[in-house]
């Protein structure tokens, strides 16, 4: 049931909530299959960052980010980018970092 509730919350941001109710009631968790094989999703190996002011103009007010601060080197990785690529390899504060979602 928890999986169904989580799916309902995530899908409601993309699809009309009334339509997903019928769809989710028809999904059997046992029928969910993994369709991507190893290395099917491309990681971001050399991320590019915007200056705060520029990023603020391009992002939605409540857009979620995953924040990382190592040795006062601060980064914000947008969740919508992580949802597509799922991993970003970066150097933060002189340390290698793998950012995943």
């Amino acid at each position: 049931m928890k999986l169904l509730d989580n799916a309902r919350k995530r899908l409601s941001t993309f699809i009309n909530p009334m339509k997903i109710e019928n769809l989710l009631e028809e999904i059997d968790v046992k029928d969910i299959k993994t369709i991507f094989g190893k290395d099917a999703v491309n990681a971001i190996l050399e991320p590019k960052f915007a200056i705060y002011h520029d990023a603020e103009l391009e992002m939605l007010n409540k857009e979620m980010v995953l924040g990382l601060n190592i040795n006062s080197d601060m980064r914000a990785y947008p969740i919508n980018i992580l949802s597509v690529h799922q991993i970003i390899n970066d150097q933060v504060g002189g340390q290698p970092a793998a950012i995943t979602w």
Side-chain angles (χ1 to χ4, degrees):
M1 190 63 165
K2 187 172 183 175
L3 178 65
L4 188 61
D5 290 337
N6 287 339
R8 187 174 284 115
K9 285 178 189 174
R10 293 183 91 183
L11 285 173
S12 68
T13 62
F14 301 106
I15 303 174
N16 179 331
M18 297 303 288
K19 291 181 181 178
I20 65 166
E21 284 302 318
N22 295 336
L23 175 65
L24 290 175
E25 288 175 6
E26 297 173 12
I27 296 173
D28 186 345
V29 176
K30 295 183 295 260
D31 292 333
I32 297 174
K33 306 279 189 258
T34 301
I35 58 171
F36 294 112
K38 184 177 189 272
D39 297 326
V41 178
N42 294 326
I44 296 177
L45 304 177
E46 296 179 15
K48 294 175 178 48
F49 295 91
I51 297 170
Y52 170 79
H53 182 266
D54 295 337
E56 185 178 35
L57 296 173
E58 293 182 26
M59 296 177 72
L60 301 173
N61 284 341
K62 294 187 177 188
E63 189 166 341
M64 294 176 59
V65 298
L66 191 148
L68 182 60
N69 178 354
I70 299 176
N71 298 327
S72 297
D73 186 3
M74 293 175 262
R75 307 285 172 94
Y77 304 91
I79 297 298
N80 66 337
I81 301 296
L82 283 163
S83 293
V84 173
H85 292 278
Q86 297 177 352
I87 188 163
I88 299 174
N89 293 321
D90 201 1
Q91 289 280 329
V92 183
Q95 303 293 318
I99 294 79
T100 64
W101 175 251

